[in-house]
Amino acid sequence: MNLESIVLPDGEILYDLHYLSETEADTYLSILQNDMQWEQHQLTIFGRQLPAPRLSAWHGDPDARYTYSGLALEPHPWTAPLRQLKNRLEKNIQIHFNSVLLNHYRDGQDSMGWHSDDERELGEQPTIASLSLGGTRRFLLKHKYRKELAPVEFALGHGSLLIMRGQTQMHWQHQIPKTKRPVDARLNLTFRRIVKQRALPCP
Ligand SMILES: O=C(O)CCC(=O)C(=O)O
Ligand SMILES: [Mn+2]
């Protein structure tokens, strides 16, 4: 592992372009693409219900419940390949994770809008480890209120690892924009630690 540290104003990123070898990344990509129960979540955005522009799957310890965009997610259990990746990451970066959100971007029209992973369940300064497989996509970060700061961009390729930590979620938003360029399908796994469980919202 060769983690490069990128210190942002009010945030910190660690990045390894080749965390997994090409062969390992190929294997995980085909296993995960086929084995997960991919769902298209319905998100509540500004009071409107909209299908997420991507497929997702949430896995983790049974008590790692997570709420985002009005959605209460009950985790599916760890599968062997997910647990393998989690154990390897925990050993490498000495952080404990109890859940992982998988996103499947089927083509360039699948995307994720500007957001911070700042839900209360993730605690004050969450460390989020993001592993990418498949087609390379642009990952952009912008500061929430220091408009003079230029956006920061990464090309997240097959087998790359990007870690956001410190105050990054408090002060920065990130996104995966749509692209008209032809791109291969991409999987992204964000390993997280849920520290606080909230009651499920009333219907
Ligand atoms: O697909 C990515 O690289 C980002 C995913 C993400 O930001 C999230 O799951 O919260
Ligand atoms: Mn995110």
Side-chain angles (χ1 to χ4, degrees), residues 65-129:
R65 279 189 221 96
Y66 190 45
T67 314
Y68 85 111
S69 296
L71 199 71
L73 296 174
E74 288 282 344
H76 292 290
W78 291 102
T79 62
L82 291 178
R83 194 179 283 283
Q84 244 175 33
L85 286 170
K86 168 179 122 77
N87 290 344
R88 177 163 168 178
L89 268 173
E90 287 178 335
K91 212 163 118 199
N92 290 155
I93 63 172
Q94 301 292 310
I95 296 261
H96 175 67
F97 298 106
N98 59 12
S99 51
V100 59
L101 177 63
L102 293 98
N103 284 299
H104 180 179
Y105 304 85
R106 294 158 291 184
D107 58 29
Q109 289 311 292
D110 274 356
S111 61
M112 186 174 291
W114 287 115
H115 70 283
S116 306
D117 296 315
D118 57 359
E119 289 80 9
R120 267 185 36 202
E121 294 93 317
L122 295 172
E124 276 285 297
Q125 296 201 358
T127 295
I128 291 172

Short mmCIF file of all heavy atoms in Angstrom, two decimals, residues 65-129:
data_model
loop_
_atom_site.label_atom_id
_atom_site.label_comp_id
_atom_site.label_asym_id
_atom_site.label_seq_id
_atom_site.Cartn_x
_atom_site.Cartn_y
_atom_site.Cartn_z
N ARG A 65 -27.44 0.48 11.47
CA ARG A 65 -28.51 1.11 10.67
C ARG A 65 -28.10 2.49 10.26
O ARG A 65 -27.39 3.18 10.97
CB ARG A 65 -29.81 1.17 11.48
CG ARG A 65 -30.53 -0.13 11.47
CD ARG A 65 -31.90 -0.02 12.10
NE ARG A 65 -32.12 -1.19 12.92
CZ ARG A 65 -31.91 -1.23 14.22
NH1 ARG A 65 -31.52 -0.15 14.87
NH2 ARG A 65 -32.11 -2.35 14.89
N TYR A 66 -28.60 2.91 9.12
CA TYR A 66 -28.11 4.16 8.52
C TYR A 66 -29.27 4.87 7.86
O TYR A 66 -30.10 4.25 7.21
CB TYR A 66 -27.05 3.78 7.48
CG TYR A 66 -26.27 4.93 6.91
CD1 TYR A 66 -25.77 5.93 7.72
CD2 TYR A 66 -26.02 5.00 5.55
CE1 TYR A 66 -25.03 6.97 7.18
CE2 TYR A 66 -25.28 6.03 5.01
CZ TYR A 66 -24.79 7.01 5.84
OH TYR A 66 -24.06 8.02 5.30
N THR A 67 -29.34 6.18 8.05
CA THR A 67 -30.41 6.95 7.42
C THR A 67 -29.81 8.03 6.55
O THR A 67 -28.98 8.80 7.03
CB THR A 67 -31.29 7.63 8.50
OG1 THR A 67 -31.58 6.69 9.51
CG2 THR A 67 -32.58 8.16 7.92
N TYR A 68 -30.16 8.05 5.28
CA TYR A 68 -29.73 9.19 4.45
C TYR A 68 -30.79 9.50 3.41
O TYR A 68 -31.49 8.60 2.95
CB TYR A 68 -28.35 8.96 3.84
CG TYR A 68 -28.32 8.20 2.55
CD1 TYR A 68 -27.97 8.83 1.36
CD2 TYR A 68 -28.62 6.85 2.50
CE1 TYR A 68 -27.94 8.13 0.17
CE2 TYR A 68 -28.59 6.14 1.32
CZ TYR A 68 -28.25 6.79 0.17
OH TYR A 68 -28.21 6.09 -1.02
N SER A 69 -30.93 10.76 3.09
CA SER A 69 -31.96 11.23 2.15
C SER A 69 -33.33 10.60 2.46
O SER A 69 -34.03 10.15 1.56
CB SER A 69 -31.58 10.94 0.70
OG SER A 69 -30.44 11.65 0.34
N GLY A 70 -33.68 10.55 3.74
CA GLY A 70 -34.99 10.05 4.13
C GLY A 70 -35.13 8.54 4.04
O GLY A 70 -36.22 7.99 4.14
N LEU A 71 -34.03 7.85 3.85
CA LEU A 71 -34.07 6.41 3.65
C LEU A 71 -33.45 5.71 4.85
O LEU A 71 -32.33 6.05 5.23
CB LEU A 71 -33.21 6.12 2.41
CG LEU A 71 -33.38 4.84 1.69
CD1 LEU A 71 -34.72 4.84 0.94
CD2 LEU A 71 -32.26 4.71 0.66
N ALA A 72 -34.20 4.77 5.45
CA ALA A 72 -33.63 4.03 6.58
C ALA A 72 -33.15 2.68 6.05
O ALA A 72 -33.94 1.89 5.55
CB ALA A 72 -34.68 3.82 7.66
N LEU A 73 -31.86 2.46 6.12
CA LEU A 73 -31.30 1.24 5.54
C LEU A 73 -30.97 0.22 6.61
O LEU A 73 -30.26 0.53 7.57
CB LEU A 73 -30.02 1.57 4.76
CG LEU A 73 -30.17 2.47 3.54
CD1 LEU A 73 -28.81 2.83 2.97
CD2 LEU A 73 -31.02 1.79 2.48
N GLU A 74 -31.48 -0.98 6.44
CA GLU A 74 -31.14 -2.12 7.29
C GLU A 74 -30.04 -2.88 6.57
O GLU A 74 -30.21 -3.23 5.40
CB GLU A 74 -32.34 -3.05 7.45
CG GLU A 74 -33.46 -2.52 8.30
CD GLU A 74 -33.17 -2.64 9.80
OE1 GLU A 74 -32.23 -3.39 10.17
OE2 GLU A 74 -33.85 -1.97 10.58
N PRO A 75 -28.93 -3.13 7.23
CA PRO A 75 -27.84 -3.75 6.49
C PRO A 75 -28.08 -5.22 6.13
O PRO A 75 -28.64 -5.96 6.93
CB PRO A 75 -26.66 -3.64 7.47
CG PRO A 75 -27.29 -3.50 8.81
CD PRO A 75 -28.62 -2.84 8.63
N HIS A 76 -27.67 -5.59 4.93
CA HIS A 76 -27.54 -7.01 4.60
C HIS A 76 -26.26 -7.49 5.29
O HIS A 76 -25.35 -6.71 5.53
CB HIS A 76 -27.39 -7.21 3.09
CG HIS A 76 -28.62 -6.86 2.31
ND1 HIS A 76 -29.77 -7.61 2.35
CD2 HIS A 76 -28.88 -5.83 1.47
CE1 HIS A 76 -30.68 -7.06 1.57
NE2 HIS A 76 -30.17 -5.97 1.02
N PRO A 77 -26.19 -8.81 5.59
CA PRO A 77 -24.98 -9.32 6.26
C PRO A 77 -23.73 -9.20 5.39
O PRO A 77 -23.83 -9.10 4.16
CB PRO A 77 -25.31 -10.79 6.55
CG PRO A 77 -26.59 -11.09 5.89
CD PRO A 77 -27.20 -9.83 5.37
N TRP A 78 -22.58 -9.24 6.04
CA TRP A 78 -21.30 -9.25 5.31
C TRP A 78 -21.25 -10.49 4.45
O TRP A 78 -21.59 -11.58 4.91
CB TRP A 78 -20.13 -9.28 6.30
CG TRP A 78 -19.97 -8.03 7.09
CD1 TRP A 78 -20.35 -7.83 8.38
CD2 TRP A 78 -19.40 -6.80 6.64
NE1 TRP A 78 -20.05 -6.54 8.76
CE2 TRP A 78 -19.47 -5.89 7.71
CE3 TRP A 78 -18.84 -6.37 5.43
CZ2 TRP A 78 -19.00 -4.58 7.62
CZ3 TRP A 78 -18.36 -5.07 5.33
CH2 TRP A 78 -18.45 -4.19 6.42
N THR A 79 -20.78 -10.37 3.23
CA THR A 79 -20.48 -11.54 2.41
C THR A 79 -18.97 -11.79 2.52
O THR A 79 -18.23 -10.89 2.96
CB THR A 79 -20.86 -11.30 0.93
OG1 THR A 79 -20.04 -10.22 0.44
CG2 THR A 79 -22.33 -10.92 0.78
N ALA A 80 -18.52 -12.96 2.09
CA ALA A 80 -17.09 -13.28 2.26
C ALA A 80 -16.18 -12.24 1.58
O ALA A 80 -15.24 -11.75 2.20
CB ALA A 80 -16.81 -14.70 1.77
N PRO A 81 -16.43 -11.88 0.32
CA PRO A 81 -15.52 -10.90 -0.31
C PRO A 81 -15.57 -9.53 0.37
O PRO A 81 -14.53 -8.86 0.48
CB PRO A 81 -16.01 -10.80 -1.76
CG PRO A 81 -17.19 -11.67 -1.90
CD PRO A 81 -17.42 -12.42 -0.65
N LEU A 82 -16.72 -9.12 0.84
CA LEU A 82 -16.80 -7.81 1.52
C LEU A 82 -16.04 -7.85 2.84
O LEU A 82 -15.35 -6.90 3.21
CB LEU A 82 -18.27 -7.42 1.79
CG LEU A 82 -19.11 -7.08 0.56
CD1 LEU A 82 -20.55 -6.77 0.97
CD2 LEU A 82 -18.52 -5.90 -0.21
N ARG A 83 -16.17 -8.97 3.55
CA ARG A 83 -15.46 -9.09 4.82
C ARG A 83 -13.94 -9.12 4.61
O ARG A 83 -13.17 -8.54 5.36
CB ARG A 83 -15.93 -10.35 5.57
CG ARG A 83 -15.52 -10.38 7.02
CD ARG A 83 -16.03 -11.63 7.71
NE ARG A 83 -17.45 -11.56 8.05
CZ ARG A 83 -17.93 -10.86 9.07
NH1 ARG A 83 -17.13 -10.15 9.84
NH2 ARG A 83 -19.22 -10.86 9.33
N GLN A 84 -13.56 -9.79 3.53
CA GLN A 84 -12.12 -9.84 3.17
C GLN A 84 -11.57 -8.43 2.95
O GLN A 84 -10.52 -8.07 3.49
CB GLN A 84 -11.99 -10.57 1.82
CG GLN A 84 -11.24 -11.85 1.83
CD GLN A 84 -11.32 -12.49 0.44
OE1 GLN A 84 -11.36 -11.83 -0.60
NE2 GLN A 84 -11.37 -13.81 0.44
N LEU A 85 -12.30 -7.65 2.18
CA LEU A 85 -11.84 -6.28 1.89
C LEU A 85 -11.83 -5.43 3.16
O LEU A 85 -10.91 -4.65 3.40
CB LEU A 85 -12.75 -5.63 0.84
CG LEU A 85 -12.57 -6.13 -0.58
CD1 LEU A 85 -13.68 -5.61 -1.50
CD2 LEU A 85 -11.20 -5.70 -1.13
N LYS A 86 -12.88 -5.59 3.98
CA LYS A 86 -12.95 -4.84 5.24
C LYS A 86 -11.76 -5.19 6.14
O LYS A 86 -11.09 -4.30 6.67
CB LYS A 86 -14.27 -5.18 5.96
CG LYS A 86 -14.37 -4.71 7.39
CD LYS A 86 -15.73 -5.09 7.96
CE LYS A 86 -15.66 -5.97 9.20
NZ LYS A 86 -15.33 -5.26 10.41
N ASN A 87 -11.46 -6.49 6.28
CA ASN A 87 -10.36 -6.91 7.16
C ASN A 87 -9.02 -6.36 6.67
O ASN A 87 -8.19 -5.91 7.44
CB ASN A 87 -10.28 -8.44 7.25
CG ASN A 87 -11.46 -9.02 8.03
OD1 ASN A 87 -12.15 -8.27 8.74
ND2 ASN A 87 -11.71 -10.30 7.90
N ARG A 88 -8.86 -6.40 5.36
CA ARG A 88 -7.60 -5.92 4.77
C ARG A 88 -7.43 -4.41 5.03
O ARG A 88 -6.36 -3.95 5.44
CB ARG A 88 -7.65 -6.22 3.28
CG ARG A 88 -6.48 -5.72 2.51
CD ARG A 88 -6.47 -6.43 1.18
NE ARG A 88 -5.54 -5.85 0.25
CZ ARG A 88 -5.32 -6.32 -0.97
NH1 ARG A 88 -5.97 -7.40 -1.38
NH2 ARG A 88 -4.47 -5.75 -1.78
N LEU A 89 -8.51 -3.67 4.82
CA LEU A 89 -8.47 -2.21 5.06
C LEU A 89 -8.19 -1.90 6.52
O LEU A 89 -7.38 -1.04 6.85
CB LEU A 89 -9.82 -1.60 4.71
CG LEU A 89 -10.02 -1.08 3.30
CD1 LEU A 89 -11.47 -0.67 3.12
CD2 LEU A 89 -9.10 0.11 3.05
N GLU A 90 -8.89 -2.62 7.39
CA GLU A 90 -8.72 -2.36 8.83
C GLU A 90 -7.28 -2.60 9.26
O GLU A 90 -6.72 -1.85 10.05
CB GLU A 90 -9.68 -3.24 9.64
CG GLU A 90 -11.12 -2.77 9.53
CD GLU A 90 -12.10 -3.65 10.29
OE1 GLU A 90 -11.80 -4.84 10.50
OE2 GLU A 90 -13.17 -3.13 10.65
N LYS A 91 -6.69 -3.65 8.70
CA LYS A 91 -5.30 -3.96 9.01
C LYS A 91 -4.37 -2.87 8.46
O LYS A 91 -3.47 -2.39 9.15
CB LYS A 91 -4.92 -5.31 8.39
CG LYS A 91 -3.91 -6.07 9.19
CD LYS A 91 -3.88 -7.53 8.80
CE LYS A 91 -2.51 -7.84 8.24
NZ LYS A 91 -2.49 -9.05 7.43
N ASN A 92 -4.65 -2.42 7.25
CA ASN A 92 -3.79 -1.43 6.61
C ASN A 92 -3.88 -0.05 7.24
O ASN A 92 -2.89 0.66 7.33
CB ASN A 92 -4.15 -1.30 5.11
CG ASN A 92 -3.75 -2.51 4.30
OD1 ASN A 92 -4.33 -2.76 3.28
ND2 ASN A 92 -2.78 -3.28 4.77
N ILE A 93 -5.11 0.37 7.62
CA ILE A 93 -5.21 1.76 8.07
C ILE A 93 -5.61 1.88 9.55
O ILE A 93 -5.80 3.00 10.03
CB ILE A 93 -6.13 2.62 7.16
CG1 ILE A 93 -7.57 2.12 7.17
CG2 ILE A 93 -5.61 2.65 5.73
CD1 ILE A 93 -8.52 3.06 6.43
N GLN A 94 -5.73 0.73 10.21
CA GLN A 94 -5.95 0.75 11.67
C GLN A 94 -7.22 1.51 12.07
O GLN A 94 -7.22 2.29 13.02
CB GLN A 94 -4.74 1.39 12.39
CG GLN A 94 -3.43 0.67 12.14
CD GLN A 94 -3.42 -0.72 12.77
OE1 GLN A 94 -3.73 -0.86 13.95
NE2 GLN A 94 -3.09 -1.73 12.02
N ILE A 95 -8.28 1.30 11.30
CA ILE A 95 -9.57 1.91 11.61
C ILE A 95 -10.60 0.79 11.54
O ILE A 95 -10.53 -0.05 10.64
CB ILE A 95 -9.94 2.98 10.54
CG1 ILE A 95 -8.97 4.13 10.56
CG2 ILE A 95 -11.38 3.45 10.68
CD1 ILE A 95 -9.41 5.34 11.32
N HIS A 96 -11.55 0.80 12.47
CA HIS A 96 -12.57 -0.24 12.45
C HIS A 96 -13.81 0.23 11.69
O HIS A 96 -14.29 1.34 11.90
CB HIS A 96 -12.94 -0.62 13.89
CG HIS A 96 -14.07 -1.57 13.97
ND1 HIS A 96 -13.96 -2.88 13.50
CD2 HIS A 96 -15.34 -1.42 14.41
CE1 HIS A 96 -15.12 -3.47 13.67
NE2 HIS A 96 -15.97 -2.62 14.21
N PHE A 97 -14.27 -0.59 10.76
CA PHE A 97 -15.51 -0.27 10.03
C PHE A 97 -16.57 -1.29 10.39
O PHE A 97 -16.27 -2.45 10.62
CB PHE A 97 -15.25 -0.32 8.52
CG PHE A 97 -14.23 0.68 8.04
CD1 PHE A 97 -12.96 0.27 7.68
CD2 PHE A 97 -14.54 2.03 7.99
CE1 PHE A 97 -12.01 1.20 7.25
CE2 PHE A 97 -13.60 2.96 7.57
CZ PHE A 97 -12.33 2.55 7.20
N ASN A 98 -17.85 -0.85 10.44
CA ASN A 98 -18.91 -1.82 10.70
C ASN A 98 -19.96 -1.87 9.57
O ASN A 98 -20.99 -2.52 9.71
CB ASN A 98 -19.58 -1.60 12.06
CG ASN A 98 -20.18 -0.22 12.19
OD1 ASN A 98 -20.30 0.50 11.20
ND2 ASN A 98 -20.57 0.16 13.41
N SER A 99 -19.68 -1.21 8.46
CA SER A 99 -20.64 -1.21 7.36
C SER A 99 -19.98 -0.74 6.08
O SER A 99 -18.93 -0.10 6.10
CB SER A 99 -21.81 -0.30 7.70
OG SER A 99 -21.33 0.95 8.11
N VAL A 100 -20.66 -1.06 4.98
CA VAL A 100 -20.17 -0.59 3.67
C VAL A 100 -21.37 -0.29 2.77
O VAL A 100 -22.33 -1.06 2.71
CB VAL A 100 -19.22 -1.63 3.01
CG1 VAL A 100 -19.89 -2.98 2.80
CG2 VAL A 100 -18.67 -1.11 1.69
N LEU A 101 -21.32 0.86 2.13
CA LEU A 101 -22.33 1.20 1.12
C LEU A 101 -21.70 0.95 -0.25
O LEU A 101 -20.63 1.49 -0.54
CB LEU A 101 -22.75 2.66 1.26
CG LEU A 101 -23.76 3.17 0.21
CD1 LEU A 101 -25.10 2.42 0.32
CD2 LEU A 101 -24.01 4.67 0.37
N LEU A 102 -22.36 0.11 -1.04
CA LEU A 102 -21.87 -0.13 -2.40
C LEU A 102 -22.73 0.63 -3.38
O LEU A 102 -23.97 0.62 -3.27
CB LEU A 102 -21.94 -1.62 -2.74
CG LEU A 102 -21.02 -2.55 -1.96
CD1 LEU A 102 -21.76 -3.20 -0.81
CD2 LEU A 102 -20.45 -3.63 -2.89
N ASN A 103 -22.10 1.28 -4.34
CA ASN A 103 -22.83 1.95 -5.40
C ASN A 103 -22.37 1.40 -6.74
O ASN A 103 -21.18 1.17 -6.95
CB ASN A 103 -22.60 3.46 -5.34
CG ASN A 103 -23.40 4.09 -4.22
OD1 ASN A 103 -24.64 4.03 -4.22
ND2 ASN A 103 -22.71 4.65 -3.24
N HIS A 104 -23.34 1.20 -7.63
CA HIS A 104 -23.08 0.63 -8.95
C HIS A 104 -23.53 1.67 -9.98
O HIS A 104 -24.71 1.96 -10.09
CB HIS A 104 -23.89 -0.67 -9.06
CG HIS A 104 -23.75 -1.39 -10.36
ND1 HIS A 104 -24.39 -2.57 -10.61
CD2 HIS A 104 -23.04 -1.11 -11.46
CE1 HIS A 104 -24.09 -2.99 -11.83
NE2 HIS A 104 -23.27 -2.10 -12.36
N TYR A 105 -22.54 2.25 -10.67
CA TYR A 105 -22.82 3.24 -11.71
C TYR A 105 -22.78 2.48 -13.03
O TYR A 105 -21.71 2.12 -13.52
CB TYR A 105 -21.76 4.34 -11.68
CG TYR A 105 -21.62 5.03 -10.32
CD1 TYR A 105 -20.81 4.50 -9.32
CD2 TYR A 105 -22.30 6.21 -10.05
CE1 TYR A 105 -20.68 5.13 -8.08
CE2 TYR A 105 -22.19 6.85 -8.81
CZ TYR A 105 -21.37 6.30 -7.85
OH TYR A 105 -21.25 6.93 -6.63
N ARG A 106 -23.99 2.23 -13.58
CA ARG A 106 -24.08 1.33 -14.73
C ARG A 106 -23.46 1.94 -15.98
O ARG A 106 -22.89 1.25 -16.82
CB ARG A 106 -25.54 0.96 -14.99
CG ARG A 106 -26.13 0.13 -13.86
CD ARG A 106 -27.63 0.21 -13.82
NE ARG A 106 -28.09 1.54 -13.42
CZ ARG A 106 -29.34 1.90 -13.23
NH1 ARG A 106 -30.30 1.00 -13.44
NH2 ARG A 106 -29.66 3.11 -12.84
N ASP A 107 -23.58 3.25 -16.12
CA ASP A 107 -22.98 3.96 -17.27
C ASP A 107 -22.80 5.42 -16.87
O ASP A 107 -23.01 5.79 -15.72
CB ASP A 107 -23.88 3.81 -18.52
CG ASP A 107 -25.29 4.33 -18.27
OD1 ASP A 107 -25.46 5.26 -17.44
OD2 ASP A 107 -26.22 3.84 -18.92
N GLY A 108 -22.45 6.26 -17.85
CA GLY A 108 -22.13 7.65 -17.55
C GLY A 108 -23.32 8.46 -17.06
O GLY A 108 -23.15 9.56 -16.52
N GLN A 109 -24.52 7.96 -17.26
CA GLN A 109 -25.71 8.67 -16.78
C GLN A 109 -26.00 8.38 -15.31
O GLN A 109 -26.80 9.07 -14.68
CB GLN A 109 -26.94 8.34 -17.65
CG GLN A 109 -26.84 8.97 -19.03
CD GLN A 109 -26.48 10.45 -18.96
OE1 GLN A 109 -27.27 11.27 -18.49
NE2 GLN A 109 -25.27 10.81 -19.38
N ASP A 110 -25.39 7.36 -14.77
CA ASP A 110 -25.50 7.13 -13.32
C ASP A 110 -24.50 8.06 -12.62
O ASP A 110 -23.41 8.33 -13.14
CB ASP A 110 -25.22 5.67 -12.97
CG ASP A 110 -26.48 4.81 -13.10
OD1 ASP A 110 -27.55 5.37 -13.38
OD2 ASP A 110 -26.38 3.58 -12.91
N SER A 111 -24.87 8.54 -11.44
CA SER A 111 -24.08 9.61 -10.81
C SER A 111 -24.42 9.69 -9.33
O SER A 111 -25.32 8.98 -8.85
CB SER A 111 -24.43 10.94 -11.48
OG SER A 111 -25.81 11.23 -11.30
N MET A 112 -23.71 10.59 -8.64
CA MET A 112 -24.09 10.94 -7.26
C MET A 112 -23.90 12.45 -7.11
O MET A 112 -22.83 12.97 -7.42
CB MET A 112 -23.24 10.18 -6.25
CG MET A 112 -23.73 10.43 -4.84
SD MET A 112 -22.91 9.43 -3.57
CE MET A 112 -23.50 7.81 -3.92
N GLY A 113 -24.94 13.13 -6.65
CA GLY A 113 -24.91 14.60 -6.55
C GLY A 113 -24.07 15.08 -5.37
O GLY A 113 -23.61 14.27 -4.55
N TRP A 114 -23.89 16.41 -5.31
CA TRP A 114 -23.10 17.01 -4.23
C TRP A 114 -23.67 16.65 -2.87
O TRP A 114 -24.87 16.82 -2.64
CB TRP A 114 -23.12 18.54 -4.36
CG TRP A 114 -22.30 19.08 -5.48
CD1 TRP A 114 -22.77 19.74 -6.57
CD2 TRP A 114 -20.86 19.06 -5.60
NE1 TRP A 114 -21.71 20.11 -7.37
CE2 TRP A 114 -20.54 19.71 -6.81
CE3 TRP A 114 -19.83 18.54 -4.81
CZ2 TRP A 114 -19.22 19.87 -7.25
CZ3 TRP A 114 -18.53 18.68 -5.25
CH2 TRP A 114 -18.23 19.34 -6.45
N HIS A 115 -22.84 16.18 -1.99
CA HIS A 115 -23.27 15.87 -0.62
C HIS A 115 -22.03 15.73 0.27
O HIS A 115 -20.90 15.64 -0.24
CB HIS A 115 -24.06 14.55 -0.58
CG HIS A 115 -23.19 13.36 -0.84
ND1 HIS A 115 -22.75 13.02 -2.11
CD2 HIS A 115 -22.61 12.46 -0.01
CE1 HIS A 115 -21.96 11.98 -2.04
NE2 HIS A 115 -21.85 11.60 -0.77
N SER A 116 -22.26 15.71 1.57
CA SER A 116 -21.22 15.34 2.53
C SER A 116 -21.73 14.11 3.26
O SER A 116 -22.94 13.96 3.46
CB SER A 116 -21.00 16.44 3.57
OG SER A 116 -20.75 17.66 2.93
N ASP A 117 -20.82 13.26 3.66
CA ASP A 117 -21.22 12.11 4.48
C ASP A 117 -21.16 12.58 5.94
O ASP A 117 -20.22 12.23 6.67
CB ASP A 117 -20.30 10.92 4.21
CG ASP A 117 -20.44 10.46 2.77
OD1 ASP A 117 -21.58 10.35 2.28
OD2 ASP A 117 -19.41 10.22 2.12
N ASP A 118 -22.18 13.38 6.30
CA ASP A 118 -22.13 14.03 7.61
C ASP A 118 -23.34 13.66 8.47
O ASP A 118 -23.74 14.42 9.34
CB ASP A 118 -22.02 15.55 7.45
CG ASP A 118 -23.17 16.12 6.63
OD1 ASP A 118 -24.04 15.34 6.18
OD2 ASP A 118 -23.21 17.34 6.45
N GLU A 119 -23.95 12.50 8.18
CA GLU A 119 -25.07 12.06 9.00
C GLU A 119 -24.60 11.84 10.44
O GLU A 119 -23.45 11.46 10.66
CB GLU A 119 -25.65 10.75 8.46
CG GLU A 119 -26.41 10.88 7.16
CD GLU A 119 -25.50 10.94 5.95
OE1 GLU A 119 -24.28 10.70 6.10
OE2 GLU A 119 -26.00 11.25 4.86
N ARG A 120 -25.51 12.08 11.37
CA ARG A 120 -25.14 11.97 12.79
C ARG A 120 -24.58 10.61 13.15
O ARG A 120 -23.68 10.49 13.98
CB ARG A 120 -26.38 12.26 13.66
CG ARG A 120 -26.46 13.72 14.06
CD ARG A 120 -27.60 13.95 15.01
NE ARG A 120 -27.82 12.83 15.94
CZ ARG A 120 -28.97 12.62 16.56
NH1 ARG A 120 -30.00 13.41 16.34
NH2 ARG A 120 -29.11 11.61 17.40
N GLU A 121 -25.11 9.58 12.50
CA GLU A 121 -24.67 8.20 12.80
C GLU A 121 -23.18 7.99 12.56
O GLU A 121 -22.60 7.03 13.03
CB GLU A 121 -25.39 7.19 11.91
CG GLU A 121 -26.85 7.06 12.11
CD GLU A 121 -27.64 7.95 11.17
OE1 GLU A 121 -27.25 9.12 10.97
OE2 GLU A 121 -28.66 7.48 10.66
N LEU A 122 -22.59 8.85 11.72
CA LEU A 122 -21.18 8.65 11.38
C LEU A 122 -20.23 9.33 12.36
O LEU A 122 -19.01 9.17 12.26
CB LEU A 122 -20.90 9.16 9.96
CG LEU A 122 -21.64 8.40 8.85
CD1 LEU A 122 -21.46 9.09 7.51
CD2 LEU A 122 -21.14 6.96 8.75
N GLY A 123 -20.79 10.09 13.29
CA GLY A 123 -19.96 10.73 14.31
C GLY A 123 -19.33 12.02 13.81
O GLY A 123 -19.57 12.45 12.68
N GLU A 124 -18.48 12.60 14.66
CA GLU A 124 -17.94 13.95 14.44
C GLU A 124 -17.02 14.09 13.24
O GLU A 124 -17.20 14.95 12.40
CB GLU A 124 -17.18 14.36 15.70
CG GLU A 124 -18.06 14.95 16.78
CD GLU A 124 -18.50 16.36 16.44
OE1 GLU A 124 -17.61 17.22 16.34
OE2 GLU A 124 -19.71 16.60 16.27
N GLN A 125 -16.01 13.25 13.19
CA GLN A 125 -15.01 13.38 12.11
C GLN A 125 -14.80 12.00 11.49
O GLN A 125 -13.79 11.34 11.74
CB GLN A 125 -13.69 13.92 12.67
CG GLN A 125 -13.84 15.31 13.23
CD GLN A 125 -12.50 16.05 13.33
OE1 GLN A 125 -11.44 15.51 13.02
NE2 GLN A 125 -12.55 17.28 13.76
N PRO A 126 -15.78 11.57 10.70
CA PRO A 126 -15.70 10.18 10.21
C PRO A 126 -14.56 9.96 9.23
O PRO A 126 -14.22 10.85 8.44
CB PRO A 126 -17.05 9.99 9.49
CG PRO A 126 -17.47 11.36 9.08
CD PRO A 126 -16.94 12.28 10.15
N THR A 127 -13.97 8.77 9.33
CA THR A 127 -13.02 8.32 8.30
C THR A 127 -13.81 7.42 7.37
O THR A 127 -14.41 6.44 7.81
CB THR A 127 -11.86 7.54 8.94
OG1 THR A 127 -11.13 8.43 9.77
CG2 THR A 127 -10.94 6.95 7.88
N ILE A 128 -13.81 7.76 6.08
CA ILE A 128 -14.55 6.98 5.09
C ILE A 128 -13.56 6.48 4.05
O ILE A 128 -12.79 7.27 3.49
CB ILE A 128 -15.65 7.86 4.47
CG1 ILE A 128 -16.69 8.12 5.57
CG2 ILE A 128 -16.30 7.18 3.26
CD1 ILE A 128 -17.73 9.08 5.24
N ALA A 129 -13.55 5.17 3.84
CA ALA A 129 -12.59 4.57 2.92
C ALA A 129 -13.34 4.13 1.66
O ALA A 129 -14.26 3.32 1.73
CB ALA A 129 -11.91 3.38 3.57
#
